[in-house]
Amino acid sequence: MGGDLGVPDTPVALEHSGAQVTIDLAALVANWQDLQSRFSGGTCGATIKANAYGLGLAPIVKALGAAGCRTFFVALPQEGLLARTAAPEADIYVLNGLFMDQAEFYATNRLTPVLATQDEFEEWAQYAERTNQRLPAAIHVDTGMNRLGLKSDVFHRLIENQGLMTQIEPSLVMSHLACADTPDHAMNREQLARFKAVCSALPGIPASLCNSAGIFLGSDFHFDIARPGIALYGGEAVAGIANPMKPVVSVKARVLQTRIVRSGESVGYGAAQTADRDMKVATLSCGYADGYTRLAGSSDQRRGAKAFVAGKAVPLIGRVSMDMIAVDVTDIPDNLCQRGSMVELFGENIAVDDVARACDTIGYELLTGIGARAHRHYKPYIAEKVV
Ligand SMILES: *Cc1c(COP(=O)(O)O)cnc(C)c1O
């Protein structure tokens, strides 16, 4: 990494790449503004962990920062450093907490750890004491996820510990919903009730409960700061409703050749799928090494994902190889799908979540998996002048 952080040192030339990823920063900003308008709490932040869900941390942070986003959530201290470089003034929270012996790294880069164990509390407080300062921290309380976070008895014990709290200045109290994508799930209300009890023990401290799906649960769930990720990037946050977000990412793959496959012949490794009629097949230069998962593949037993070309959805045929896939383009005129044409794997016409469903996975996994050897193009967001 170097130069413009998040953009590879050696940009992959379009004409030399198999896959082409387009990231629409104006659509990203529109999604952030849309979520901000749905969020009654006040501050809509942005979750940018995992290289901003595979889209490129620095360009995403810079576009959101230009639009007015001031609060970012990363998973790792390493990501925090990249975010700090891209957003010198922002609040940056490290969701995976304080890593062992790294207090100085966090403090130097003004990364706020999301403290989730007594050990993390003590380490942060000890570092603050050694360096004669009071340091900000977020406090993560577990309300049912059972992944990270303080159990409520430990939480109460810690915030009543004067010694610790003279060194630690809580800037946020947070918890994470396990089932927000399923609005009717009983666990949502249970977690809400527990979180309210937590917040009442820390009056005046900003609170945060919502990921993307949480914002759609309604204002009861909102509190002060939201932490959306997937919805910013155009993915589906809530199951079973039409996705209101704009698509941000499109992945296209280059056609290497088309060929006629006769009825009864098979396509690809394992001869997994047999043509049930004479068909025209396009071989595309994109495979699982580019993040297009093998789970998208098709066989005689199970139909795979679809791609899109010349106004039509076209089914994959056969397995996904490391560097290639094949699609059935029998119904597409030759001149619209030939050597050098680009076929959309997901984007504006084929929703990333539809591909994910065909793969028994979620859009998050497809986005975060987008490979490094693809050509990336960022459609710019032009910030409105602030007067
Ligand atoms: C990943 C994550 C988010 C963002 O979740 P989305 O479902 O992508 O909106 C928010 N909070 C925490 C703690 C997370 O781990």
Side-chain angles (χ1 to χ4, degrees), residues 226-240:
R227 316 184 298 269
I230 194 70
L232 290 173
Y233 310 117
E236 215 172 85
V238 183

Side-chain angles (χ1 to χ4, degrees), residues 50 52-55 181 229-231 233-238 243 249 251 291-293 346-347 350-370:
Y53 290 45
L55 278 56
D181 60 345
I230 194 70
Y233 310 117
E236 215 172 85
V238 183
N243 181 358
V249 190
V251 178
Y292 194 76
T293 171
F346 55 79
I350 295 274
V352 62
D353 293 284
D354 288 339
V355 176
R357 264 184 285 278
C359 303
D360 284 330
T361 183
I362 51 178
Y364 299 71
E365 193 174 7
L366 292 179
L367 292 182
T368 56
I370 295 174

Side-chain angles (χ1 to χ4, degrees), residues 209-284:
L209 183 60
C210 288
N211 60 353
S212 301
I215 295 173
F216 292 87
L217 290 177
S219 57
D220 284 2
F221 286 81
H222 284 177
F223 299 89
D224 305 299
I225 295 181
R227 316 184 298 269
I230 194 70
L232 290 173
Y233 310 117
E236 215 172 85
V238 183
I241 63 162
N243 181 358
M245 312 317 293
K246 287 185 199 284
V248 173
V249 190
S250 123
V251 178
K252 295 194 171 115
R254 168 188 299 277
V255 176
L256 297 173
Q257 60 170 248
T258 60
R259 58 174 52 238
I260 300 301
V261 175
R262 297 288 171 206
S263 181
E265 292 179 353
S266 64
V267 177
Y269 280 121
Q273 190 167 1
T274 309
D276 53 9
R277 59 193 159 97
D278 289 355
M279 53 172 71
K280 183 172 57 167
V281 169
T283 304
L284 312 182

Side-chain angles (χ1 to χ4, degrees), residues 81-101:
L81 180 60
L82 294 178
R84 174 53 71 222
T85 307
E89 305 303 329
D91 291 335
I92 298 169
Y93 288 97
V94 181
L95 292 168
N96 284 14
L98 181 63
F99 282 24
M100 200 179 276
D101 301 329

Side-chain angles (χ1 to χ4, degrees), residues 286-298 302 304-305 316 318-322 324-325 345-346 352 355-362 365-367 369-370:
C286 179
Y288 61 77
D290 301 287
Y292 194 76
T293 171
R294 290 185 75 245
L295 299 168
S298 193
R302 179 186 174 282
L316 259 69
R319 288 187 188 164
V320 174
S321 308
M322 184 185 292
M324 280 172 271
I325 53 178
L345 301 184
F346 55 79
V352 62
V355 176
R357 264 184 285 278
C359 303
D360 284 330
T361 183
I362 51 178
E365 193 174 7
L366 292 179
L367 292 182
I370 295 174

